[in-house]
Amino acid sequence: MDKQTEIELQAAAFRRLQKHLMEDRTDVQNIDMMNLAGFCRNCLSRWYQEAANEKGIEMGKDEARQIFYGMTMDEWKANYQTDASPEKQAAFKVAFEENVGKQD
């Protein structure tokens, strides 16, 4: 497979993952994704931001999230986010530290 085809297939897979998370499975909470898989929608938007920045495209966290989510974080939270139990919140702290590390 040539490199361009590989890039196009990877991009298509990413777009399908994004659609799945943003349209098909809005019921799946970020905290559950992080606790089980070590990443969530916010991680994907951060990786998008980092890729843009590496290409010299200035993009902040909020802009990347809005691009990935298709709406602001406040809108997403109001529409889809549910309260997390204290147990999930404690597991999230561990998962975040292990997979993302300390953030400013």
Side-chain angles (χ1 to χ4, degrees):
M1 176 182 322
D2 65 274
K3 190 66 173 170
Q4 184 59 38
T5 300
E6 181 181 3
I7 290 168
E8 290 170 9
L9 294 175
Q10 290 169 342
F14 176 82
R15 287 189 299 273
R16 184 61 187 96
L17 173 62
Q18 183 183 26
K19 179 188 180 303
H20 182 74
L21 294 173
M22 304 315 300
E23 296 177 22
D24 303 337
R25 292 304 310 267
T26 57
D27 61 311
V28 176
Q29 298 296 300
N30 278 339
I31 196 167
D32 295 325
M33 291 176 61
M34 181 60 83
N35 291 349
L36 293 172
F39 78 99
C40 68
R41 293 171 183 90
N42 292 335
C43 295
L44 290 165
S45 68
R46 188 182 78 247
W47 298 337
Y48 187 92
Q49 173 195 1
E50 290 170 354
N53 293 161
E54 287 173 10
K55 291 283 192 185
I57 301 167
E58 289 188 34
M59 181 181 296
K61 177 173 69 173
D62 291 338
E63 183 182 0
R65 283 183 176 177
Q66 188 158 354
I67 290 168
F68 188 83
Y69 280 77
M71 63 186 76
T72 67
M73 280 301 299
D74 288 340
E75 291 171 311
W76 175 266
K77 288 177 181 181
N79 290 322
Y80 303 111
Q81 188 167 311
T82 61
D83 292 332
S85 69
E87 295 80 15
K88 285 185 180 183
Q89 291 177 25
F92 174 80
K93 287 180 183 178
V94 173
F96 188 91
E97 185 65 34
E98 289 176 349
N99 294 287
V100 180
K102 294 186 191 254
Q103 298 291 302
D104 298 332

